[in-house]
Amino acid sequence: MALIVQKFGGTSVADIDKIKNVAQKIINVKKAGNQVVVVLSAMAGETDRLIGLAHKAADSPDEREYDSLISTGEQVTVTLLAIVLNAMGYSARSFLGFQVKILTDKAYKKARISLIHTDAIKKELKKGTIIIVAGFQGVDKDNNITTLGRGGSDTSAVALAAALKADQCDIYTDVDGVYTTDPNVCNKARRLDKISYDEMLEMAMTGAKVLQPRSVEMAKKYDVPVYVKSTFTDKGGTLVTKEDKDMEREIISGVTYDRDQVKITIVHVPDKPGVAADIFSPLSEKNIFVDMIIQNASLEGYTDLTFTVSKKDLKDAQKIVESTAKKVGAKKVEVDDQVAKISIIGVGMASHSGVAAKMFKTLAKEGVNIMMISTSEIKISCIIQRKYTELAVMALHDAFNLEKKK
Ligand code: ADP
Ligand code: ASP
Ligand code: MG
């Protein structure tokens, strides 16, 4: 008997009919003789609606209450699914994060799972019960409800699979696998049968929201085989797993985009030791993640410093940076909230030259200006104007021949 974790995303549980469809998929797996642990997201759009309410209620909502509020969408779906399954004659039981106990640290909005108590789930599994766990939420050691960051149900599912030593973790969503780029943006995108943890992690970190980055990190660490599948068809699927010899070792395996970026420039900063630390320390103290950074060449003892943060952090980051800019004697702070990050990913990149040049040439040919560049062993990212996102994705997908399987 295998133990299978099945996670269903927001569009898969968007209404009662869809929840009934999900129930049927679960029953099929159960009937095949498996033990089943299900993880659910909130109904599509519900978490956004709750976040909107919180910001209507206050400019800077109290973080503890905010997490309690935005976690409620998952309570609705897990209980509805349990009601449906029980009515269909299958014993099912819903669990909220604190009932499992999914223990996390105290970082509201982006908590990390530290430990999962599995006793309660195992006891019910033994009785043949279908377990339904609310994704996205946990509880800290003082019993405060925490949430795991947007898209966090993926991480709940993989973490549960790891803790329960499940045989596999199936992530059901509205596309039938991981593609060479977002299939909703580029109709030439090709589904991958398999992708390595490392490539998937880079893709997720650079914007491919099909899996939350933390879920891929965890799958890699605990060796959890993750299948990305469609809720709405039985075809396709992508296995996220360890790199192996027969895996396509493409130079480039994917193109990603992230429209969630804003660019901040501090103009005319004195170029002396300690200034960068003065600027970035207060941001990190506020848990604001700084992604790309460039510093221009120094001119007469002054330089410009540009970096990107997530859109949602702009208000806080701007306030902090304006105050530090004054302190360090910079001229002014400029914000550009119309940018996007476009990236190409591939494990084969490390051993091939000319990949970056090809990316830059392709963007130039389309008239897309590059504002910032960053690279890692298996990734090159550029900041461009947001309005060119789709154009750049399609041009790069073509240029690197991703449509065709080589
Ligand atoms: P869920 O609600 O099921 O968690 P998400 O919206 O979080 O679903 O993730 C699925 C979406 O990810 C798809 O609808 C697709 O638009 C997007 N996506 C972005 N990049 C990729 C990619 N490379 N492969 C597949 N889907 C991708
Ligand atoms: N409902 C949460 C969100 O919208 C978690 C998830 O869907 O994975 O971010
Ligand atoms: Mg998601």
Side-chain angles (χ1 to χ4, degrees), residues 43-312:
M43 289 182 182
E46 178 62 5
T47 310
D48 287 336
R49 188 184 76 84
L50 294 165
I51 289 173
L53 283 178
H55 287 288
K56 246 191 190 166
D59 275 347
S60 305
D62 178 85
E63 293 195 317
R64 176 183 186 274
E65 306 311 325
Y66 179 94
D67 267 22
S68 281
L69 172 68
I70 71 167
S71 70
T72 57
E74 274 73 9
Q75 181 164 356
V76 173
T77 51
V78 292
T79 45
L80 281 173
L81 177 64
I83 289 171
V84 166
L85 281 166
N86 282 313
M88 289 168 87
Y90 288 85
S91 160
R93 201 170 178 148
S94 71
F95 284 82
L96 299 179
F98 78 89
Q99 292 173 312
V100 172
K101 217 168 192 195
I102 299 179
L103 259 179
T104 72
D105 61 17
K106 301 186 82 62
Y108 293 119
K109 297 185 195 172
K110 50 186 118 183
R112 288 170 81 93
I113 297 172
S114 45
L115 183 74
I116 298 184
H117 291 279
T118 53
D119 299 355
I121 290 183
K122 280 183 179 155
K123 206 167 120 195
E124 285 298 324
L125 276 174
K126 266 196 200 135
K127 293 191 228 161
T129 311
I130 296 168
I131 310 296
I132 309 165
V133 180
F136 183 50
Q137 55 178 263
V139 62
D140 73 9
K141 64 176 175 33
D142 298 318
N143 271 332
N144 302 300
I145 292 170
T146 53
T147 60
L148 309 179
R150 298 308 304 272
S153 300
D154 299 329
T155 301
S156 309
V158 176
L160 272 162
L164 292 163
K165 299 194 171 53
D167 296 275
Q168 72 185 60
C169 180
D170 293 344
I171 305 283
Y172 286 92
T173 183
D174 55 1
V175 286
D176 66 350
V178 179
Y179 279 69
T180 47
T181 193
D182 186 344
N184 290 321
V185 163
C186 175
N187 57 12
K188 292 178 180 172
R190 175 171 55 88
R191 188 179 53 79
L192 304 163
D193 289 330
K194 266 190 196 179
I195 183 168
S196 70
Y197 291 125
D198 289 333
E199 281 177 315
M200 190 63 239
L201 185 58
E202 285 286 5
M203 283 186 70
M205 289 205 306
T206 52
K209 64 178 178 146
V210 61
L211 289 175
Q212 198 199 33
R214 183 94 186 93
S215 72
V216 187
E217 246 171 53
M218 201 168 288
K220 182 181 175 187
K221 184 167 172 195
Y222 295 101
D223 225 341
V224 179
V226 173
Y227 290 87
V228 178
K229 300 179 179 181
S230 165
T231 307
F232 308 106
T233 120
D234 290 329
K235 286 189 298 215
T238 299
L239 171 62
V240 189
T241 183
K242 268 193 270 199
E243 204 185 332
D244 65 31
K245 284 195 294 299
D246 59 297
M247 208 171 259
E248 298 174 37
R249 211 183 151 81
E250 307 287 4
I251 301 175
I252 299 301
S253 51
V255 179
T256 56
Y257 64 90
D258 182 357
R259 294 197 188 96
D260 178 48
Q261 301 263 312
V262 288
K263 181 165 76 81
I264 300 178
T265 304
I266 313 178
V267 181
H268 209 64
V269 186
D271 189 12
K272 58 181 189 205
V275 171
D278 287 343
I279 290 168
F280 293 113
S281 304
L283 289 171
S284 81
E285 275 157 27
K286 275 275 170 203
N287 262 325
I288 295 175
F289 177 72
V290 173
D291 187 10
M292 284 165 126
I293 303 177
I294 51 167
Q295 183 176 334
N296 288 357
S298 177
L299 199 70
E300 289 165 5
Y302 288 89
T303 179
D304 291 349
L305 202 70
T306 304
F307 58 93
T308 59
V309 295
S310 167
K311 248 192 245 167
K312 69 173 182 350

